[in-house]
């Protein structure tokens, strides 16, 4: 199979230096709000890249659940998963948001660390019961012999927590990314896309530069 003829022109918008908010978090919020108002499916889904202790990269999608200048970009996962082991080993990640209907992507690089269990608990308690039970059920990233194993564990957890009070598992919680760079990308015709990168400087200011597409 070749996909040589599968191509689209990107002509929905443009991005100019004067359009950019000096603060990348405000710029990110602005684009996220636009993505939300277009009713894109899961605009908060990001492709999270990690590198394991031997330097091997891997990626997967996770959902951004909160972001702010003070707390960074927060998402939740199993602390014994592949990604968690990689993040705990290196403390570094990259993330990509792809919003094709807007012909936009955002690339973020930064450091990552676990959030406090009090913060994780706050989010965990806001989740629907089924999702809380799901966290207890799945040994994320481990090999399992069958689907049935998962389903019997699910029933076991349902019985175990039948009073409806499901505590935060100690193997589950949030991570916060503290960005060192944000790149905002807008597709343009003839593959001459607009790209601007914000890089965090030692004096904590953000340097904004245009990149070639
Ligand atoms: C749209 C979407 C959202 C997802 N959100 C999460 C999430 O927030 N947290 C999570 O741990 N996994 C999430 N997953 C599952 C992950 O992509 C991945 O399969 C899982 O976390 C195991 O990854 P790992 O083995 O690399 O650690 C999501 C998958 C999709 C497709």
């Amino acid at each position: 199979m070749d996909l040589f003829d599968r191509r689209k022109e990107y002509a929905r918008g443009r991005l100019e230096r004067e359009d950019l908010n000096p603060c990348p978090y405000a710029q990110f919020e602005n684009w996220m709000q636009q993505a939300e108002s277009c009713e894109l499916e899961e605009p908060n889904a990001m492709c999270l890249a990690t590198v394991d202790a031997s330097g091997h990269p891997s990626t997967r999608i996770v959902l951004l659940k909160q972001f702010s200048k003070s707390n960074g970009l927060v998402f939740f996962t199993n602390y014994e998963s592949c990604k968690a082991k990689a993040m705990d080993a290196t403390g570094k990640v990259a993330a990509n948001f792809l919003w094709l209907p807007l012909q936009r992507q955002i690339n973020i690089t930064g450091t990552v660390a676990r959030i406090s269990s009090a913060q994780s608990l706050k989010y965990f308690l806001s989740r629907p019961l089924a999702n809380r039970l799901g966290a207890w059920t799945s040994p994320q990233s481990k090999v399992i012999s069958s689907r049935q194993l998962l389903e019997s564990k699910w029933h076991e957890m349902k019985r175990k927590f039948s009073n409806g009070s499901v505590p935060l598992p100690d193997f589950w919680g949030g991570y916060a990314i503290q960005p060192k760079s944000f790149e905002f990308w807008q597709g343009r015709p003839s593959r001459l896309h607009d790209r601007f990168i914000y890089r965090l400087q030692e004096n904590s200011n953000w340097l904004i530069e245009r990149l070639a597409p």
Side-chain angles (χ1 to χ4, degrees):
M1 178 181 184
D2 76 50
L3 302 163
F4 291 175
D5 293 330
R6 179 156 266 294
R7 59 174 63 85
K8 264 193 158 193
E9 272 295 273
Y10 298 137
R12 258 197 83 131
R14 57 200 299 152
L15 188 62
E16 302 290 350
R17 178 67 182 79
E18 53 271 24
D19 300 332
L20 297 172
N21 193 298
C23 169
Y25 292 91
Q27 182 65 33
F28 180 71
E29 184 166 355
N30 179 14
W31 273 28
M32 180 62 85
Q33 275 167 355
Q34 289 174 17
E36 292 218 296
S37 61
C38 290
E39 294 180 13
L40 300 191
E41 214 165 305
E42 310 279 46
N44 58 330
M46 58 179 179
C47 179
L48 179 79
T50 55
V51 177
D52 70 16
S54 64
H56 198 86
S58 60
T59 63
R60 78 291 289 154
I61 304 294
V62 293
L63 295 176
L64 177 70
K65 286 291 167 181
Q66 202 176 41
F67 68 91
S68 66
K69 209 170 162 176
S70 48
N71 294 325
L73 280 74
V74 177
F75 62 93
F76 293 86
T77 194
N78 183 304
Y79 282 153
E80 291 166 7
S81 63
C82 282
K83 74 180 93 47
K85 286 181 182 150
M87 290 188 290
D88 293 342
T90 68
K92 291 178 186 152
V93 289
N96 176 274
F97 292 84
L98 173 64
W99 297 321
L100 278 178
L102 290 169
Q103 301 176 347
R104 285 178 175 173
Q105 63 170 331
I106 300 176
N107 281 308
I108 292 169
T109 64
T111 56
V112 70
R114 292 183 184 196
I115 62 174
S116 70
S117 50
Q119 284 172 287
S120 293
L121 178 65
K122 189 168 170 209
Y123 172 67
F124 189 75
L125 295 178
S126 78
R127 302 180 90 206
L129 176 65
N131 298 25
R132 280 180 278 148
L133 290 171
W136 276 100
T137 301
S138 173
Q140 196 176 61
S141 314
K142 302 273 189 320
V143 173
I144 50 172
S145 54
S146 68
R147 167 98 207 165
Q148 207 201 327
L149 192 107
L150 210 55
E151 299 198 352
S152 38
K153 180 96 180 282
W154 161 259
H155 289 295
E156 188 192 323
M157 291 301 123
K158 258 174 96 172
R159 277 195 303 277
K160 185 168 175 186
F161 300 118
S162 57
N163 66 359
S165 137
V166 185
L168 174 71
D170 61 3
F171 55 82
W172 194 96
Y175 283 90
I177 303 173
Q178 298 297 338
K180 289 196 177 305
S181 72
F182 285 84
E183 180 202 329
F184 294 86
W185 185 102
Q186 177 75 58
R188 297 291 304 273
S190 313
R191 302 296 186 251
L192 298 179
H193 316 300
D194 288 326
R195 300 176 65 191
F196 285 94
I197 189 161
Y198 294 66
R199 278 191 266 248
L200 186 61
Q201 306 297 290
E202 276 187 6
N203 61 8
S204 301
N205 289 339
W206 290 92
L207 175 69
I208 307 177
E209 292 169 304
R210 184 186 271 274
L211 298 177

